[in-house]
Amino acid sequence: MNLQINRTYLLLFLLLFSIEALIAIFVPTGFIRYTLGDYLVVILIYCFAKIFIKGHSNIIAISTLIFSFSIEFLQLSGILDKLNQQLCYKINFRQHFSVVRFSSLCIRHFNNSNNRTY
């Protein structure tokens, strides 16, 4: 894997991070915060990896999917309750399960990457 700074993905990362910050500040609850915010964060993680890693799009997409699934399963299991960390950290871990939107991201990526040549 070649490590380089990809400016396109850097700009996408900064744009998505700004949108996530605005959602966190101005949208306290609801569909946009919980569903759209989670969906954008997966794309944000993918863009962050693509900033530094040239090529290997499928590997990065699968890794992002596995990471996202891991976080969702930890949320589903109530890991913060078990660790008793809710008061120590103000992390917005919601207790819901959303495998479908993470899977759809990877399916879209694989469909797009099969139609292009890198």
Side-chain angles (χ1 to χ4, degrees):
M1 290 193 292
N2 299 327
L3 293 177
Q4 296 178 346
I5 301 292
N6 186 325
R7 291 183 184 157
T8 303
Y9 282 105
L10 177 62
L11 291 174
L12 283 171
F13 172 80
L14 293 174
L15 176 68
L16 289 170
F17 186 79
S18 300
I19 292 170
E20 284 288 334
L22 291 173
I23 289 172
I25 293 168
F26 295 112
V27 183
T29 61
F31 175 81
I32 292 174
R33 173 115 185 200
Y34 297 129
T35 305
L36 185 64
D38 283 358
Y39 189 78
L40 289 177
V41 125
V42 174
I43 301 169
L44 179 84
I45 294 167
Y46 176 80
C47 289
F48 181 76
K50 289 295 288 179
I51 290 171
F52 304 105
I53 303 170
K54 184 178 179 182
H56 304 289
S57 297
N58 292 339
I59 294 171
I60 295 170
I62 290 170
S63 300
T64 302
L65 179 69
I66 291 169
F67 178 76
S68 300
F69 281 170
S70 301
I71 296 298
E72 290 296 326
F73 282 120
L74 287 173
Q75 290 175 359
L76 180 65
S77 70
I79 190 73
L80 290 179
D81 292 333
K82 293 175 184 172
L83 295 175
N84 197 18
Q85 295 293 319
Q86 294 92 344
L87 298 176
C88 297
Y89 301 105
K90 293 190 178 197
I91 299 174
N92 189 11
F93 276 96
R94 292 164 308 281
Q95 303 300 320
H96 63 83
F97 187 64
S98 54
V99 171
V100 173
R101 69 177 167 264
F102 299 127
S103 299
S104 68
L105 174 67
C106 279
I107 290 168
R108 284 185 203 157
H109 173 74
F110 286 126
N111 287 339
N112 290 337
S113 66
N114 289 336
N115 296 335
R116 297 182 196 161
T117 56
Y118 291 103

